[in-house]
Amino acid sequence: MNVEKAWDVLKEHSFKRTKNREAILEYLAHRDGYTAAMDVSEYLKKDNPGVSFDTIYRNLATFSELGILEETELRGERQFRMHCEPGVHHHHFICTECGKTKHIPSCPMDHIAVNLPGVQIQGHKFEVYGKCPQCQ
């Protein structure tokens, strides 16, 4: 998802365009992988030292709820990244050191669902964690 598509989603949900939201989206749009809220905060505070961590965290959570951001837990904290392709089912390998991701082209759910007769699967999330070649 690019920043303009993110603004379309925010506008549909009656969110105003603010400089903090703009900075968060621009920062994450240029990151290759998951980023912790604290890293976003440190970046934003360079230009706006008065911005609170709570404001940043609330915006990240809102963006995630609206499908603008993907999130995962990495090293004990929530991490965020721009959503790859809204509406396209996919999974990732996530580097536990740098947070960079690699697209996994297939979904293991077809194999797993066979072993769950009689259940109604409503959703799933599949992530593979390890170290990328640069972090090994």
Side-chain angles (χ1 to χ4, degrees):
M1 176 175 291
N2 66 35
V3 174
E4 285 311 310
K5 286 182 182 176
W7 280 118
D8 291 343
V9 171
L10 288 164
K11 187 177 178 182
E12 287 173 22
H13 290 88
S14 303
F15 285 92
K16 293 180 182 176
R17 193 171 191 138
T18 67
K19 68 177 183 173
N20 288 332
R21 290 180 181 139
E22 182 85 33
I24 292 168
L25 291 172
E26 288 292 337
Y27 178 70
L28 290 174
H30 294 96
R31 304 277 303 165
D32 181 23
Y34 284 92
T35 303
M38 189 56 70
D39 294 332
V40 177
S41 177
E42 288 173 8
Y43 172 78
L44 263 65
K45 286 188 179 211
K46 290 177 186 173
D47 292 329
N48 184 2
V51 66
S52 75
F53 181 77
D54 288 344
T55 296
I56 294 166
Y57 198 84
R58 267 193 318 275
N59 277 295
L60 290 169
T62 298
F63 296 165
S64 180
E65 289 169 14
L66 295 175
I68 295 167
L69 301 181
E70 296 177 13
E71 72 174 88
T72 193
E73 187 169 320
L74 193 56
R75 296 182 296 276
E77 64 182 315
R78 284 171 78 182
Q79 306 254 337
F80 303 88
R81 66 171 273 143
M82 291 296 277
H83 207 292
C84 294
E85 299 174 54
V88 176
H89 184 77
H90 66 286
H91 302 286
H92 292 117
F93 165 84
I94 303 168
C95 179
T96 56
E97 291 293 315
C98 67
K100 288 184 180 177
T101 62
K102 181 168 176 53
H103 178 80
I104 298 172
S106 60
C107 178
M109 201 60 206
D110 295 335
H111 303 290
I112 295 168
V114 171
N115 296 311
L116 300 169
V119 303
Q120 182 183 32
I121 298 169
Q122 296 177 326
H124 71 277
K125 187 173 184 177
F126 183 77
E127 298 171 333
V128 177
Y129 297 94
K131 291 185 181 178
C132 69
Q134 292 79 19
C135 293
Q136 290 181 30

